[in-house]
Amino acid sequence: KTLIVATRNAGKTREFKKLFADFGYEIKDLTDYPELPEIEETGSTFEENARLKAEQISEITGELVVGDDSGLCVDVLGGLPGIWSHRFSAPNPTDEKNITKLLHELAPTAITPEKRSAHFHTTLVAAKPGSESLVVEADWNGYIGLTPKGENGFGYDPIFLVDAFRTAAELSDEEKNKVSHRGKALQKLMKELPAWLEK
Ligand code: ITT
């Protein structure tokens, strides 16, 4: 059984593979299908973008596909970068440039962590041909640190403080998956998937 994760983000795929390890699916992502077109993320919500990725790839391939749209929402920035998280430092975004831009935008806010509260969000959409998609979502609350720390994870993990001492990039994949937005959303998905697949 194959499950395609509609992503080109290697960090996401690694977390999916760990969590789905015991579920009996072979996990592929879009790097395994170079012939597939680039899906434009034209939605204005996480769910719309996750749907675009999952439903278009499922329609083309005829396979079971999961789309993940996720991002970091910073309270003092009114929820930004949010759905723009990947493209925050456009035109040529990298994780490092995104982090630098976010820390720069937060520089005028007071140093107390409460003022730098934030959450990661993930919406997952599972799609298969000929049926209504399945949608689950989850959040992970934390604070934005003052400097990047840690080598694990991806994206904004080095500045996402999960407690007073550690960033998300200082957690192992296993530790992160137990508590993260994606880990929690994937646990919900795995719970609901068997009944939905029967439909
Ligand atoms: P795909 O669309 O190919 O899946 P993407 O990276 O563009 O890859 P998104 O549009 O969902 O995916 O953007 C998500 C961005 O949010 C991602 O690039 C990171 O910058 C950030 N992000 C999401 N989950 C994260 C996590 O667990 N840790 C750190 N940053 C995360």
Side-chain angles (χ1 to χ4, degrees):
K1 289 186 293 182
T2 302
L3 185 152
I4 303 174
V5 185
T7 186
R8 290 194 166 80
N9 181 323
K12 286 186 186 178
T13 302
R14 205 179 54 242
E15 293 180 11
F16 267 84
K17 280 190 171 158
K18 283 250 159 82
L19 275 162
F20 266 97
D22 302 325
F23 208 69
Y25 278 93
E26 190 189 354
I27 302 292
K28 305 242 174 178
D29 71 11
L30 297 182
T31 61
D32 296 309
Y33 299 85
E35 69 281 11
L36 288 175
E38 192 80 34
I39 306 295
E40 262 198 84
E41 295 184 33
T42 52
S44 56
T45 62
F46 289 111
E47 182 176 333
E48 281 171 19
N49 283 336
R51 250 181 214 286
L52 285 171
K53 295 185 242 192
E55 291 177 355
Q56 290 185 39
I57 298 297
S58 176
E59 197 155 305
I60 300 170
T61 59
E63 298 279 358
L64 171 63
V65 179
V66 176
D68 168 323
D69 204 61
S70 47
L72 177 64
C73 306
V74 181
D75 293 323
V76 77
L77 300 179
L80 287 174
I83 64 163
W84 309 104
S85 293
H86 174 70
R87 297 161 271 179
F88 197 43
S89 62
N92 297 308
T94 63
D95 288 345
E96 290 69 30
K97 284 200 270 179
N98 285 337
I99 285 175
T100 303
K101 180 170 158 84
L102 185 63
L103 290 178
H104 180 75
E105 300 225 344
L106 282 181
T109 59
I111 284 174
T112 53
E114 304 80 67
K115 296 234 164 108
R116 298 167 73 94
S117 59
H119 65 269
F120 275 120
H121 177 89
T122 296
T123 299
L124 300 179
V125 171
K128 59 176 178 169
S131 64
E132 195 55 36
S133 298
L134 173 65
V135 183
V136 296
E137 56 183 11
D139 285 344
W140 187 19
N141 295 325
Y143 298 94
I144 305 302
L146 295 173
T147 50
K149 225 160 40 110
E151 307 294 330
N152 304 326
F154 67 97
Y156 297 88
D157 282 340
I159 54 166
F160 188 75
L161 285 169
V162 298
D163 57 34
F165 310 103
R166 288 178 311 170
T167 67
E170 293 176 294
L171 305 181
S172 66
D173 283 351
E174 286 76 14
E175 287 173 310
K176 183 183 170 190
N177 267 340
K178 273 191 199 138
V179 291
S180 76
H181 53 316
R182 183 166 300 100
K184 286 183 286 189
L186 274 168
Q187 281 155 28
K188 287 187 198 173
L189 185 75
M190 283 190 273
K191 229 174 167 182
E192 296 187 27
L193 207 56
W196 176 79
L197 285 170
E198 294 289 306
K199 282 189 192 162

